[in-house]
Amino acid sequence: MRYSVLAKGAKRAPPVMCVAACELFGGNRLAAFPTACALEMNLFIQGRIQGTTLFIKRRMSTLLRSLEVLPLFIQASLIHDDLPCMDDDPSRRGQPSNHKVYGVDMAILAGDALFPLGFHHIVSHTPSDLVPEPRLLSVIAEIARSVGSTGMAAGQFIDLEGGLNSVEFVQEKKFGEMSECSAVCGGLLAGAKDDEIQRLRRYGRAVGVLYQVVDDILEEKTTKSKADEEEKKGKSYVALYGVEKAVEVAEELRAKAKKELDGFEKYGESLLPLYSFVDYAADRGFSFGESSY
């Protein structure tokens, strides 16, 4: 469990997105930390985002540096996703996959144990004076939905059993769900209105799929054998439609995510961190003025 949860190089966006969404609606970041922890974050992040706008520099670097949390739900799903009977990936972000180090049996148990640990952490550590019980229950229900039979599990099922026309569904369920969940949970913790939650839902899903589409495009630019290309056929927009069409899809997703955020313009500069995640998903870096990171 520790091997996967504390791995270097894990993605940082989903938990920070949760905290940023919570703060957007006036919530205290301390209210969001336990949920961000359960979603994905590393034990201690010494991240530093700098930019030409002092507000952005302070806000993003503080979000990244102050989260002392653990990645649970996403790491649990990735452990199972890498198994030989699933996507059969021997490595994860530069290090051997869990089952390559500890065996398939221990990897299955590690993933199984991390899921309930995430829920336990949220319930045990979320400050009751900051988050009323109904909001906390809504967060738990949202996470359970996103990882269950209508969420990520459904995406993995169709990835294994579906045909070539199932790529959009697979991308949304396997990669859009957790980003959507991260944004929505931040809003729920802060008491956002129903229409605001729905806007966050569409924004988060677009960002999650955008990140994966760009991943597929970047991967296609590396040298691969025909066997590798055939094995992944139908699992991505690149494999099904080619790079040019995938680039078009990425631009559409980028525009869609930003359009949803435009509906929150009344919150002013508090929106900037959420905007930055769209560009990060597309460009793999935060861009503020003339500086990129």
Side-chain angles (χ1 to χ4, degrees):
M1 290 165 66
R2 289 179 179 274
Y3 176 81
S4 292
V5 167
L6 305 181
K8 293 182 179 180
K11 291 180 292 185
R12 312 304 187 205
V16 183
M17 184 185 293
C18 174
V19 177
C22 181
E23 289 191 315
L24 176 65
F25 301 102
N28 189 317
R29 68 178 52 180
L30 295 179
F33 278 0
T35 299
C37 165
L39 288 171
E40 191 196 1
M41 208 40 132
N42 208 323
L43 181 64
F44 183 67
I45 297 170
Q46 293 180 328
R48 186 163 59 92
I49 303 297
Q50 292 184 334
T52 57
T53 303
L54 182 60
F55 171 85
I56 287 288
K57 184 198 302 185
R58 288 178 175 175
R59 196 166 185 84
M60 292 304 298
S61 63
T62 301
L63 283 175
L64 286 168
R65 297 169 102 176
S66 61
L67 283 170
E68 300 180 8
V69 291
L70 302 169
L72 299 176
F73 291 114
I74 291 181
Q75 288 303 326
S77 67
L78 293 179
I79 291 173
H80 287 171
D81 196 50
D82 290 339
L83 291 172
C85 61
M86 296 295 178
D87 287 354
D88 194 16
D89 287 325
S91 63
R92 170 68 58 179
R93 300 193 184 97
Q95 71 176 30
S97 297
N98 197 292
H99 69 273
K100 285 294 184 180
V101 178
Y102 298 102
V104 172
D105 51 358
M106 290 298 106
I108 292 174
L109 289 174
D112 287 347
L114 284 172
F115 277 116
L117 181 59
F119 287 115
H120 181 270
H121 187 84
I122 293 173
V123 173
S124 300
H125 293 84
T126 301
S128 58
D129 59 328
L130 296 179
V131 183
E133 187 174 295
R135 292 186 192 175
L136 191 61
L137 291 174
S138 295
V139 167
I140 293 172
E142 177 65 24
I143 295 174
R145 181 204 60 76
S146 69
V147 301
S149 61
T150 61
M152 287 195 296
Q156 184 64 45
F157 169 74
I158 299 299
D159 197 13
L160 294 171
E161 302 290 336
L164 296 180
N165 62 345
S166 62
V167 172
E168 183 175 353
F169 181 88
V170 170
Q171 296 277 310
E172 288 192 355
K173 292 298 181 180
K174 288 189 67 174
F175 309 113
E177 282 285 346
M178 191 51 70
S179 180
E180 172 186 335
C181 179
S182 300
V184 168
C185 283
L188 290 173
L189 288 165
K193 299 177 181 178
D194 289 345
D195 62 321
E196 294 173 324
I197 292 297
Q198 294 308 312
R199 191 173 289 279
L200 283 176
R201 189 177 298 284
R202 294 189 294 269
Y203 156 80
R205 179 169 295 238
V207 172
V209 178
L210 171 61
Y211 188 96
Q212 186 59 36
V213 171
V214 173
D215 250 15
D216 295 334
I217 294 171
L218 295 175
E219 184 179 352
E220 184 68 15
K221 294 180 180 179
T222 64
T223 302
K224 298 189 302 181
S225 68
K226 292 184 179 180
D228 290 335
E229 292 176 355
E230 184 65 27
E231 182 180 351
K232 292 181 177 296
K233 188 173 180 60
K235 293 185 178 181
S236 72
Y237 285 103
V238 171
L240 187 59
Y241 302 117
V243 172
E244 186 175 345
K245 175 62 176 178
V247 170
E248 292 179 7
V249 171
E251 288 303 318
E252 290 172 1
L253 289 166
R254 187 178 200 165
K256 181 179 180 180
K258 289 191 173 183
K259 180 179 179 181
E260 295 298 339
L261 291 182
D262 289 344
F264 295 130
E265 59 183 7
K266 66 180 180 180
Y267 294 105
E269 290 186 326
S270 296
L271 263 179
L272 294 177
L274 292 180
Y275 272 114
S276 73
F277 287 120
V278 183
D279 293 327
Y280 174 75
D283 303 326
R284 293 303 189 266
F286 291 96
S287 297
F288 307 126
E290 299 178 354
S291 301
S292 298
Y293 299 88

